Amino acid sequence: MMVRLNTRHELPQLGFRQTQGRLDETGIIQPRSQGTNRQARSNKTVTQSELDINSYPSRRAYGHRTMDDLTAELQQRGISSAKSATARHTQKGWSSATNAAKRGDDISQNAKAEMFSNYQARTIFNLDFVPNPQIKGHPSQVIGEPDLGDISVDIETAPSAKIHYTPGSVETYLKNEGFIRHWVSYDKYDIYA
């Protein structure tokens, strides 16, 4: 019978506990921006060109008058006619008073001659200068003041960040000490022990 030496061993095992370092970002104050953005505007416009035509002097020369001119003209004509009629009737009255008793002065003949003299056809031509219409042009213009707009940005930042850092850690420990065992068996190795 033969003696056999059996050995069994297990290596030691180390264990690690690891904690990650942590940066708390909730304390970081983000910068804030405030500002205005008023867009630029031209505020410009173009006026229409104008053409002023005063054709009244030309139309007046042809007899087309405004009511003001017509009434002023008729007023002058009425006053003039009243003055001449008054003077004529006065002269006729004085003539009748001084000459009525004289021979050859026939009042009815004179009245008849005067009455028919007004109905005789008379052709009267007046040549007047017809003035040209008055034309005045106004060109178009660009008016208005531009607005240059305003863009301003105000950035507000904190003087320092509020950051909390928790450092990480590594802890080592002996998970298994390991062992070496020896024993003796007879005739064969003990592989189950």
Side-chain angles (χ1 to χ4, degrees):
M1 206 188 230
M2 191 157 200
V3 178
R4 309 265 181 196
L5 178 61
N6 295 302
T7 303
R8 180 165 186 187
H9 71 89
E10 189 173 293
L11 294 175
Q13 293 179 349
L14 292 177
F16 295 96
R17 287 192 192 98
Q18 180 179 2
T19 305
Q20 297 289 332
R22 194 175 67 210
L23 179 64
D24 187 7
E25 297 183 6
T26 57
I28 296 176
I29 300 172
Q30 295 294 329
R32 288 181 293 175
S33 65
Q34 296 176 348
T36 59
N37 185 359
R38 193 177 79 241
Q39 295 297 319
R41 296 179 182 272
S42 70
N43 291 337
K44 295 276 189 180
T45 186
V46 178
T47 61
Q48 295 292 325
S49 57
E50 296 178 1
L51 190 62
D52 293 336
I53 301 175
N54 184 8
S55 62
Y56 181 66
S58 303
R59 290 185 290 121
R60 186 175 181 195
Y62 285 109
H64 300 285
R65 294 180 291 279
T66 63
M67 190 55 75
D68 292 338
D69 284 350
L70 182 61
T71 54
E73 186 180 320
L74 292 178
Q75 177 187 3
Q76 283 299 107
R77 193 186 302 171
I79 292 172
S80 175
S81 295
K83 286 181 181 177
S84 66
T86 303
R88 191 175 67 243
H89 289 307
T90 304
Q91 182 183 5
K92 197 185 287 184
W94 280 110
S95 175
S96 295
T98 56
N99 297 328
K102 293 183 182 176
R103 189 179 279 224
D105 187 25
D106 188 3
I107 295 174
S108 64
Q109 273 300 55
N110 289 340
K112 199 183 278 186
E114 183 182 343
M115 185 171 62
F116 284 112
S117 70
N118 288 337
Y119 289 107
Q120 292 177 357
R122 295 181 210 153
T123 305
I124 299 173
F125 292 101
N126 290 332
L127 297 176
D128 290 331
F129 171 73
V130 178
N132 292 327
Q134 298 171 356
I135 300 174
K136 187 175 183 182
H138 303 284
S140 60
Q141 295 178 342
V142 178
I143 58 173
E145 291 296 322
D147 181 5
L148 300 179
D150 181 26
I151 297 176
S152 61
V153 178
D154 182 22
I155 300 174
E156 181 181 329
T157 59
S160 61
K162 295 179 182 177
I163 298 174
H164 179 70
Y165 176 70
T166 304
S169 64
V170 177
E171 178 187 350
T172 60
Y173 63 93
L174 187 59
K175 188 175 181 182
N176 191 354
E177 292 182 2
F179 62 88
I180 298 177
R181 290 191 192 134
H182 299 286
W183 70 94
V184 176
S185 63
Y186 296 103
D187 286 331
K188 56 182 179 175
Y189 288 106
D190 186 5
I191 60 172
Y192 297 104

